[in-house]
Amino acid sequence: MAQVQPAVDAFINEVERIESRFNKKLSTAINNLSELSDTELINATSQLNLFNEIIEEGYGSALDRLDNEYAILLQKAIEESTKRGLTPLSGAGLQGLEVLRDLNTQVLLGEVRGYSDRLTSLLFQNLYTGLPPNQIVSSLSGTNLLTHQLNVATYTGIKTFDDSARYQVFKGQNVRWTYVGPLDDRTRDSCRNTIENEPPEGYTEKEILSKKVQTKFGTRGGFNCRHSWEVK
């Protein structure tokens, strides 16, 4: 089974470093902005683009590296199918995976956009009402780029892609599938049912796509699902 967690951890750790560097620069910027008149502050805020600042601080490069991990996962799925004598994926199947990857990237960019918009709004409100710089910095401590939501979005996106890539390269082939992953107190009922009711020879594609199985290819158990469909 392909391991996506190292790629997720590497991205999240990089975001943590990016946010730390960005916050140091933000503290300096707050001190400078606090010295402006109301008119100057309004003009400065209209030109402020924290989204671009974060991208240039390294978030864009981090996304590029994560994108490379997507390519590695796809290549592994193709290599697995080639070993079984199947024709490499091409056409709409490949294009669909590229769209899925790009949409996942847009979700992660959306997290930055939302964060930068909230931050800009809070900055202006606090500066405009005359709050001292040290209090502004303190008030922003609960507004973070690195959140549980970002972690879940990163993991779910790349995990869904990995599962979808494997399905696409084996789609329509005479293979059996097995549902791989932990069976513990965190396991969703749908995933538990899929694991416990799996035939000894595995599921057919038709069975997985039927109403019999709730955990479909790609989506599986839903957000943050730890399970994968693997070819037996």
Side-chain angles (χ1 to χ4, degrees):
M1 179 172 63
Q3 297 295 322
V4 304
Q5 194 61 54
V8 175
D9 291 342
F11 177 75
I12 293 300
N13 289 338
E14 193 164 0
V15 171
E16 185 176 19
R17 293 191 293 271
I18 291 166
E19 186 168 23
S20 177
R21 295 195 302 268
F22 174 75
N23 283 340
K24 290 178 181 178
K25 294 182 179 180
L26 185 62
S27 294
T28 301
I30 290 172
N31 284 321
N32 293 334
L33 290 169
S34 67
E35 298 177 357
L36 301 179
S37 67
D38 286 352
T39 300
E40 291 172 330
L41 177 61
I42 292 170
N43 292 333
T45 302
S46 68
Q47 298 175 36
L48 194 62
N49 193 328
L50 296 182
F51 174 78
N52 282 350
E53 292 290 337
I54 297 169
I55 295 297
E56 293 175 1
E57 191 59 48
Y59 195 83
S61 298
L63 283 177
D64 289 341
R65 281 184 278 276
L66 184 63
D67 182 73
N68 186 56
E69 295 296 332
Y70 275 75
I72 291 172
L73 290 173
L74 176 57
Q75 185 58 38
K76 287 181 178 179
I78 292 174
E79 288 174 356
E80 185 179 355
S81 68
T82 302
K83 288 178 181 178
R84 296 172 182 253
L86 303 180
T87 303
L89 184 66
S90 61
L94 183 59
Q95 292 172 359
L97 290 172
E98 291 172 348
V99 170
L100 179 58
R101 177 202 61 201
D102 291 344
L103 289 173
N104 288 343
T105 299
Q106 287 304 313
V107 169
L108 298 182
L109 284 171
E111 292 292 328
V112 179
R113 287 192 182 93
Y115 167 71
S116 59
D117 287 347
R118 290 191 300 274
L119 200 57
T120 301
S121 178
L122 287 171
L123 274 175
F124 181 77
Q125 290 174 29
N126 290 334
L127 287 164
Y128 194 59
T129 54
L131 203 65
N134 63 323
Q135 291 185 33
I136 294 176
V137 172
S138 178
S139 71
L140 297 177
S141 61
T143 305
N144 301 310
L145 171 60
L146 185 54
T147 60
H148 176 67
Q149 183 174 333
L150 178 66
N151 200 322
V152 170
T154 305
Y155 177 85
T156 301
I158 195 169
K159 186 76 170 177
T160 300
F161 178 89
D162 174 54
D163 208 73
S164 299
R166 195 159 36 256
Y167 170 57
Q168 285 298 325
V169 298
F170 286 101
K171 186 177 181 179
Q173 302 299 323
N174 186 26
V175 296
R176 292 276 180 165
W177 296 85
T178 183
Y179 201 55
V180 179
L183 189 60
D184 53 30
D185 58 357
R186 293 172 52 199
T187 303
R188 293 181 173 97
D189 289 343
S190 58
C191 293
R192 182 178 298 277
N193 290 337
T194 301
I195 293 172
E196 293 180 345
N197 294 315
E198 181 174 320
E201 67 277 14
Y203 290 100
T204 64
E205 178 182 325
K206 184 177 180 180
E207 287 173 330
I208 297 170
L209 297 177
S210 72
K211 294 181 180 179
K212 176 181 178 181
V213 178
Q214 293 178 291
T215 52
K216 304 305 181 185
F217 293 112
T219 55
R220 298 155 291 114
F223 275 101
N224 233 15
C225 180
R226 298 170 294 160
H227 299 84
S228 297
W229 281 111
E230 300 281 342
V231 177
K232 292 201 72 159

